[in-house]
Amino acid sequence: MTLRSERTRASLLDAALAAFAQRGIRSTTLEDVAMAARVTRGAVYWHFADKAAVVREVFNGLVWPFDIGTDIDVYKQSGAPMQLLRDVLWLRMKNSLDDAAQQRMIQLLLKSSGAEELPDDLSSRLEEMATRSIKNLTAVLNICYLRRVLRRGLTPLDVAMGIHATGLGVLAENTNQLPHSLARPFFLPLELVLLGACKESRKNSSLLILDGRGSLK
């Protein structure tokens, strides 16, 4: 692929993301994408077989904002794994939403009316990303459980699913304000989930504190 071809492809993906965000995936045609990119429809077909291929490629670089990764040794070595988890979650979400392309992908995903707007293989991939995120959260929270940090009656999976569901809910509620809402009020629901999961919430109240600008203390 030549440099010019690569630039055209990148321009098409940027235009497609903008068109999808404005019109919705289902309502956007390849003609709309071509017009947004200021190219011919033939140029779109030169790079992509159909709209489903465009949608797949648009989401190809999506980073799941709640995926903390698989390296849990750092949590095992930490004297405060729950606080470290909070810090990592904050930074993962912030880095994701500070990136304009990531922000638009997340907004588009949250605005989609359902999986029927997405190709089946892409829907499956997104579900796998969410499942992997919950699995990684559970692994870290299991460390907290073994150290008897979690409140009695809660399992690591319970808390992991609560974190994930709350995070998605907050993103969906604030999708039109991102990333400007990424401050203390934005992160507070997740703080409350983590705080409520702690065995002795009052003793751990200092665990989950952000300053007025949303920066970690």
Side-chain angles (χ1 to χ4, degrees):
M1 185 180 293
T2 66
L3 180 59
R4 181 178 180 181
S5 181
E6 289 178 355
R7 288 176 176 172
T8 300
R9 183 182 180 87
S11 177
L12 285 170
L13 290 174
D14 287 343
L17 182 54
F20 290 153
Q22 180 180 8
R23 300 169 179 267
I25 295 175
R26 181 181 299 171
S27 300
T28 301
T29 65
L30 289 184
E31 287 84 352
D32 296 327
V33 174
M35 289 181 61
R38 298 182 179 180
V39 299
T40 65
R41 181 178 175 183
V44 179
Y45 279 109
W46 175 263
H47 291 275
F48 303 100
D50 50 29
K51 189 171 80 170
V54 177
V55 175
R56 290 189 195 95
E57 192 66 23
V58 161
F59 282 101
N60 189 47
L62 176 66
V63 176
W64 202 254
F66 313 109
D67 193 347
I68 60 173
T70 58
D71 183 9
I72 65 169
D73 286 342
V74 64
Y75 296 94
K76 291 179 180 178
Q77 297 165 8
S78 173
M82 187 71 91
Q83 180 175 351
L84 178 59
L85 175 60
R86 190 286 308 268
D87 294 353
V88 171
L89 276 170
W90 167 264
L91 291 174
R92 290 278 182 168
M93 292 175 66
K94 185 177 187 303
N95 290 340
S96 209
L97 297 174
D98 279 347
D99 183 297
Q102 291 293 323
Q103 177 194 341
R104 294 181 81 174
M105 280 188 277
I106 292 169
Q107 287 176 319
L108 177 58
L109 185 61
L110 293 171
K111 287 180 178 180
S112 297
S113 62
E116 65 272 9
E117 290 197 6
L118 305 175
D120 290 342
D121 56 337
L122 176 57
S123 295
S124 297
R125 184 164 68 86
L126 294 173
E127 289 177 7
E128 289 172 2
M129 292 174 73
T131 299
R132 183 171 61 247
S133 175
I134 293 173
K135 180 180 178 181
N136 294 339
L137 286 168
T138 302
V140 172
L141 288 161
N142 191 54
I143 297 171
C144 301
Y145 176 80
L146 293 175
R147 294 188 188 182
R148 299 187 178 182
V149 174
L150 296 188
R151 185 183 296 275
R152 173 178 282 186
L154 292 178
T155 68
L157 180 59
D158 291 333
V159 182
M161 294 181 67
I163 290 171
H164 194 268
T166 301
L168 284 176
V170 171
L171 286 176
E173 185 176 347
N174 294 275
T175 185
N176 292 325
Q177 302 175 43
L178 298 175
H180 306 295
S181 61
L182 191 59
R184 179 177 172 77
F186 175 91
F187 198 69
L188 185 58
L190 278 176
E191 285 190 293
L192 293 175
V193 170
L194 289 167
L195 182 60
C198 293
K199 184 176 181 181
E200 298 180 46
S201 295
R202 290 185 179 180
K203 286 187 177 181
N204 289 285
S205 60
S206 62
L207 172 77
L208 306 166
I209 298 177
L210 300 176
D211 65 23
R213 298 184 302 276
S215 302
L216 297 177
K217 285 188 176 181

